Amino acid sequence: MVTGKFFFMRLFRGLFYLHLLLIAVLVIFLTIRGFLSAGKDHRFHHLKWYAPLLSSIACGGAITLAWQSITRCNPSGAVRAAFWLSPLLTCGVGVLFVSIGFTGSLAAGVLVLVFSVIQSLYACWVNPRFEYATKVLSISMAPSPPSTGFVFLSVVSGTVYATFLVAGIGGATAIGTSIDTVFILVILLSLAWTMHVIRNILHVTMARIVFLKFMCGIEFDTQVALLDTIRYLVGSICIGSVLAPVLGVIRGSARAMNLVAGDTDEFMFSCANCYSGVASTLIMYGNRWGFVHVGVCNKGFVQASGETWEMFKRAGLEPVINYDLTGSFCFLSGVAVGATCTLVAGSWALVIHKSYATEVSIYAFLIGYLICRIAMAWPQACVSAYYVAYSEDPQSVRFDSTTIRDCIDRIQRYRA
């Protein structure tokens, strides 16, 4: 079992580094080919395509760093702002897509407007849980290092990498053949995986520091934790960066389906319980809380996820995990930053070259969202470490005696 674990860790680590090399070669090739075609074909205007997108990426990086600072200094304001700004900015994106006027942009605009309404309804529904979310964020972030240099480095790394890939996407767009569409999809997949790896390196490193503080009262050096993560844990992080997002989407959709189904017996909702059971099983094989034991115990991601979830069940924390809003807060923060990037890039492209506006807006949103999620890995790691440490020793004097216990009592009263 141990041999198999290390085999897969080394395999995924090797695949990740190999994929970076191959993507770099592909991006350089596409970029050079795209610029060489500029003199032969004047249909693609490089400046009008690149300028809005690159500006929005820079804007997204700056907003992300500012948002990270706001989250640390004022968790209550950050939580409320994320839940109310995200629907408004998303609505603005929907209006932008409708204004572009093409068939594809109109369809995208309608979907985005519906999504903004869903976000607004969700914010109203979870409003009573804001106080608990703020309290957990404040308590869990307190032991984290005061320096934000590591977060700054992670965000800058993600921004630079995204800028590099945009050069390849532009080169492929300049030619515009069927194979170039495939190249763009491959680059976007690489962007998503790499951004998740950067984010989870931050997550594992910060979770280890906060966990040791809560469990043992140990102040662990951030630089040492980062170097250990890069040297020994990248393989597990690469595996988790593939599994955790997919299984997280399945779990989230199962919870949404159960919420819609309620207690009805209608046939259209008959699969809700079955799907929820499948999601509950799959979450044992990959969840973000497993990253805590990846960093602390050097365990494989699948093993760490299963053991962590079992501890949550024994400690009675599963309802609390579902009640907590940290995941939603980080997601909506990413949506808000992504929407802001879309408004910057899309509005600019709409003015200077309307036909580029839709695709530039979509790329801007994806990149802005992923960059913000890198910075949001920091508060999410702190909360994850707090819950995992509590599940291992609920009686520890390092935990206050009311926060989680009051939440459990509140959930039990609601169910009664």
Side-chain angles (χ1 to χ4, degrees), residues 27-338:
V27 167
I28 292 171
F29 165 73
L30 292 175
T31 303
I32 294 174
R33 189 190 62 166
F35 277 102
L36 289 177
S37 70
K40 303 175 182 178
D41 189 350
H42 298 287
R43 290 177 298 176
F44 184 79
H45 303 277
H46 287 78
L47 183 60
K48 294 180 180 180
W49 193 92
Y50 280 112
L53 188 51
L54 293 178
S55 298
S56 71
I57 294 174
C59 179
I63 294 174
T64 293
L65 292 173
W67 185 248
Q68 183 265 340
S69 299
I70 293 171
T71 301
R72 182 171 189 108
C73 298
N74 186 9
S76 177
V79 169
R80 295 181 182 278
F83 278 86
W84 297 116
L85 282 178
S86 181
L88 291 174
L89 292 170
T90 304
C91 181
V93 171
V95 173
L96 172 66
F97 278 130
V98 171
S99 300
I100 294 172
F102 298 125
T103 302
S105 66
L106 288 173
V110 171
L111 291 175
V112 170
L113 289 172
V114 171
F115 180 51
S116 70
V117 173
I118 293 173
Q119 290 182 70
S120 300
L121 295 175
Y122 179 71
C124 295
W125 180 57
V126 300
N127 184 66
R129 292 151 61 179
F130 285 174
E131 182 179 354
Y132 175 75
T134 300
K135 191 171 184 180
V136 168
L137 273 173
S138 301
I139 293 172
S140 62
M141 289 189 298
S144 64
S147 174
T148 57
F150 180 29
V151 178
F152 176 81
L153 177 63
S154 300
V155 171
V156 170
S157 299
T159 304
V160 170
Y161 185 73
T163 302
F164 174 67
L165 294 192
V166 162
I169 295 174
T173 304
I175 305 300
T177 63
S178 298
I179 191 65
D180 287 298
T181 303
V182 175
F183 288 153
I184 291 174
L185 292 176
V186 169
I187 292 173
L188 292 177
L189 287 174
S190 171
L191 172 68
W193 190 22
T194 306
M195 291 294 216
H196 275 91
V197 170
I198 296 173
R199 166 189 165 190
N200 289 327
I201 288 175
L202 172 59
H203 190 119
V204 168
T205 303
M206 196 60 65
R208 181 184 182 187
I209 295 170
V210 175
F211 177 89
L212 292 175
K213 180 65 176 180
F214 276 121
M215 285 298 295
C216 313
I218 298 174
E219 298 280 356
F220 201 81
D221 185 75
T222 305
Q223 185 175 355
V224 173
L226 173 60
L227 291 176
D228 286 347
T229 300
I230 295 174
R231 287 173 182 169
Y232 307 115
L233 303 176
V234 171
S236 289
I237 290 172
C238 290
I239 296 172
S241 298
V242 174
L243 291 178
V246 175
L247 300 184
V249 169
I250 293 175
R251 180 171 179 266
S253 60
R255 291 177 61 191
M257 185 179 292
N258 281 335
L259 178 64
V260 173
D263 297 323
T264 183
D265 294 325
E266 294 182 18
F267 175 75
M268 65 179 295
F269 300 118
S270 62
C271 64
N273 288 336
C274 178
Y275 186 59
S276 179
V278 172
S280 298
T281 302
L282 291 177
I283 202 67
M284 298 286 293
Y285 298 97
N287 56 73
R288 66 175 182 269
W289 301 278
F291 282 118
V292 179
H293 276 174
V294 169
V296 175
C297 306
N298 192 19
K299 293 181 178 179
F301 177 73
V302 175
Q303 178 190 2
S305 297
E307 292 179 357
T308 301
W309 200 253
E310 285 294 339
M311 286 195 306
F312 284 166
K313 288 183 176 180
R314 288 196 298 268
L317 282 183
E318 190 173 358
V320 179
I321 295 297
N322 293 331
Y323 186 83
D324 183 48
L325 292 177
T326 303
S328 299
F329 164 64
C330 295
F331 170 74
L332 292 177
S333 295
V335 171
V337 174

